[in-house]
Amino acid sequence: MADNTAVVRYARALFKIAEEAGNLETVEKDLTRACALVSKHPEIPHLLLNSTISKSEKADFIEKVFPPDLLRVVLEFLKVLIKKKRFEEISAIQSEFRKLYEQKRGIQHVIAITAVPLSS
């Protein structure tokens, strides 16, 4: 179960770092890619949440498993989540980060109810 306060704090911290570095869009895409990889391969969180494996081995694993073109800040963020024992909240953090990103870009989700189908 995700600790919502921690999720929001981690998402905001990463958002601020990405915004200050001027690579907000790339961080959002890379964080989404990382979460997709974790979702697709359940053995990744299983290994990263294993308390018998050292944090340094987990950090090495992160470097090897995630794509080499992933931004360094995203890789380091994943390592922080491991170190702070928050990796299980990665999808909730990504979701919160996405909300912040969309809010910054002025993106709003709407539902259109029409009498006739809308054209593309």
Coordinates of all heavy atoms in Angstrom, one line a residue, residues 3 24 27 36 38 43-45 49-50 59 62-63 69 73-74 79 87 95 99 102-104 106 109 112 114 118-119:
D3 N 2.2 5.0 0.5 CA 2.0 6.1 1.5 C 1.9 7.4 0.6 O 2.8 7.8 0.0 CB 3.3 6.2 2.3 CG 3.3 7.4 3.3 OD1 2.4 8.2 3.3 OD2 4.3 7.5 4.0
L24 N 12.0 18.3 -18.4 CA 10.8 17.8 -17.8 C 10.1 16.8 -18.7 O 9.7 15.7 -18.2 CB 9.8 19.0 -17.5 CG 8.7 18.8 -16.6 CD1 9.1 18.3 -15.3 CD2 7.9 20.1 -16.5
V27 N 12.2 13.5 -18.7 CA 12.1 12.8 -17.4 C 10.7 12.1 -17.4 O 10.7 10.9 -17.0 CB 12.3 13.7 -16.2 CG1 12.0 13.0 -14.9 CG2 13.8 14.2 -16.2
A36 N 6.8 1.1 -17.1 CA 6.3 0.1 -18.0 C 7.2 -1.2 -17.9 O 6.7 -2.3 -17.9 CB 6.3 0.6 -19.4
V38 N 9.0 -2.2 -15.4 CA 8.7 -2.8 -14.1 C 7.4 -3.6 -14.1 O 7.3 -4.7 -13.6 CB 8.7 -1.8 -12.9 CG1 8.2 -2.3 -11.7 CG2 10.1 -1.2 -12.7
E43 N 9.5 -9.7 -12.0 CA 10.7 -10.2 -11.3 C 11.6 -9.0 -10.9 O 12.4 -9.1 -10.0 CB 11.5 -11.2 -12.1 CG 12.0 -10.8 -13.5 CD 11.0 -10.9 -14.6 OE1 9.8 -11.2 -14.4 OE2 11.5 -10.6 -15.7
I44 N 11.5 -7.9 -11.6 CA 12.3 -6.7 -11.2 C 11.9 -6.2 -9.8 O 12.8 -6.1 -9.0 CB 12.2 -5.6 -12.3 CG1 12.8 -6.1 -13.6 CG2 12.9 -4.3 -11.8 CD1 12.6 -5.1 -14.8
P45 N 10.7 -5.9 -9.6 CA 10.4 -5.4 -8.2 C 10.6 -6.5 -7.2 O 11.0 -6.2 -6.0 CB 8.9 -5.0 -8.3 CG 8.4 -5.5 -9.5 CD 9.5 -5.7 -10.4
L49 N 12.9 -5.6 -4.1 CA 12.3 -5.5 -2.8 C 12.8 -6.6 -1.8 O 12.4 -6.7 -0.7 CB 10.8 -5.6 -2.9 CG 10.1 -4.5 -3.6 CD1 8.6 -4.7 -3.9 CD2 10.3 -3.2 -2.9
N50 N 13.7 -7.5 -2.3 CA 14.2 -8.6 -1.6 C 15.2 -8.0 -0.5 O 16.2 -7.4 -0.9 CB 14.9 -9.6 -2.5 CG 15.4 -10.8 -1.8 OD1 15.7 -10.8 -0.6 ND2 15.4 -11.9 -2.5
A59 N 21.6 -1.5 -6.9 CA 22.0 -0.4 -7.7 C 22.7 -0.9 -9.0 O 22.4 -0.3 -10.1 CB 22.9 0.5 -6.9
I62 N 20.0 -2.2 -11.3 CA 19.3 -1.1 -12.0 C 20.1 -0.6 -13.2 O 19.5 -0.4 -14.3 CB 19.1 0.1 -11.0 CG1 18.1 -0.2 -9.9 CG2 18.8 1.4 -11.7 CD1 16.7 0.0 -10.3
E63 N 21.4 -0.5 -13.0 CA 22.2 0.0 -14.2 C 22.2 -1.0 -15.3 O 22.3 -0.6 -16.5 CB 23.7 0.1 -13.7 CG 23.9 1.3 -12.7 CD 23.9 2.6 -13.3 OE1 24.1 2.7 -14.6 OE2 23.8 3.6 -12.6
D69 N 19.9 4.4 -22.4 CA 19.5 5.8 -22.9 C 18.6 6.5 -21.9 O 18.2 7.6 -22.1 CB 18.9 5.8 -24.3 CG 17.6 5.0 -24.4 OD1 17.4 4.1 -23.5 OD2 16.8 5.3 -25.3
V73 N 19.3 11.1 -14.3 CA 18.5 11.6 -13.2 C 17.4 10.5 -12.8 O 17.1 10.3 -11.6 CB 17.9 13.0 -13.4 CG1 16.9 13.0 -14.5 CG2 17.4 13.6 -12.1
V74 N 16.9 9.9 -13.8 CA 15.8 8.9 -13.6 C 16.5 7.6 -13.0 O 15.9 7.1 -12.0 CB 15.1 8.5 -14.9 CG1 14.1 7.4 -14.7 CG2 14.3 9.8 -15.4
K79 N 17.4 4.6 -7.8 CA 18.4 4.1 -6.8 C 18.0 4.7 -5.4 O 18.1 4.0 -4.4 CB 19.8 4.5 -7.1 CG 20.3 3.7 -8.3 CD 21.7 4.2 -8.6 CE 22.3 3.5 -9.9 NZ 23.6 4.0 -10.2
F87 N 10.7 1.7 -3.5 CA 10.6 1.2 -4.8 C 9.2 0.7 -5.2 O 8.7 0.8 -6.3 CB 11.7 0.2 -5.2 CG 11.8 0.0 -6.7 CD1 12.5 0.8 -7.5 CD2 11.1 -1.1 -7.3 CE1 12.6 0.7 -8.8 CE2 11.2 -1.3 -8.7 CZ 11.9 -0.4 -9.4
S95 N 2.6 8.2 -11.5 CA 1.2 8.7 -11.8 C 1.1 10.1 -11.2 O 0.6 11.0 -11.9 CB 0.2 7.8 -11.1 OG -1.1 8.3 -11.3
K99 N 0.6 13.7 -13.3 CA -0.4 14.8 -12.9 C 0.3 16.1 -12.9 O -0.3 17.1 -13.4 CB -1.1 14.5 -11.6 CG -2.0 13.3 -11.6 CD -2.6 13.1 -10.2 CE -3.3 11.8 -10.1 NZ -3.8 11.5 -8.7
E102 N 1.2 17.2 -16.5 CA 0.0 17.6 -17.2 C -0.5 19.0 -16.7 O -0.9 19.8 -17.5 CB -1.1 16.6 -17.2 CG -0.7 15.4 -18.0 CD -1.8 14.3 -17.9 OE1 -2.7 14.3 -17.0 OE2 -1.7 13.3 -18.7
Q103 N -0.5 19.2 -15.4 CA -0.9 20.5 -14.8 C 0.0 21.6 -15.3 O -0.5 22.7 -15.7 CB -0.9 20.4 -13.3 CG -1.4 21.6 -12.6 CD -1.4 21.4 -11.1 OE1 -0.6 20.6 -10.6 NE2 -2.2 22.2 -10.4
K104 N 1.3 21.4 -15.4 CA 2.3 22.4 -15.8 C 2.1 22.7 -17.3 O 2.2 23.9 -17.7 CB 3.7 21.8 -15.6 CG 4.8 22.7 -16.2 CD 5.0 23.9 -15.3 CE 6.3 24.6 -15.8 NZ 6.5 25.8 -15.1
G106 N -0.8 22.4 -18.9 CA -2.1 22.9 -19.1 C -3.0 21.8 -19.7 O -4.0 22.1 -20.4
H109 N -8.0 16.5 -18.8 CA -8.8 15.4 -19.3 C -10.3 15.7 -19.3 O -10.8 16.3 -18.3 CB -8.5 14.1 -18.5 CG -7.1 13.7 -18.6 ND1 -6.7 12.8 -19.6 CD2 -6.0 14.0 -17.9 CE1 -5.4 12.6 -19.5 NE2 -4.9 13.3 -18.5
A112 N -16.4 14.0 -23.5 CA -17.3 14.6 -24.4 C -18.5 13.7 -24.7 O -18.3 12.6 -25.1 CB -16.6 15.0 -25.8
T114 N -21.7 13.4 -26.9 CA -22.3 14.0 -28.1 C -23.4 13.2 -28.7 O -23.5 12.0 -28.4 CB -21.2 14.2 -29.2 OG1 -20.8 12.9 -29.6 CG2 -20.0 15.0 -28.7
L118 N -17.9 12.0 -32.9 CA -16.9 13.0 -33.3 C -16.0 12.5 -34.4 O -15.6 11.3 -34.4 CB -16.1 13.5 -32.1 CG -16.9 14.1 -30.9 CD1 -16.0 14.3 -29.7 CD2 -17.5 15.4 -31.4
S119 N -15.6 13.4 -35.2 CA -14.6 13.0 -36.3 C -13.2 13.1 -35.6 O -13.0 13.7 -34.6 CB -14.7 14.0 -37.5 OG -14.3 15.3 -37.1

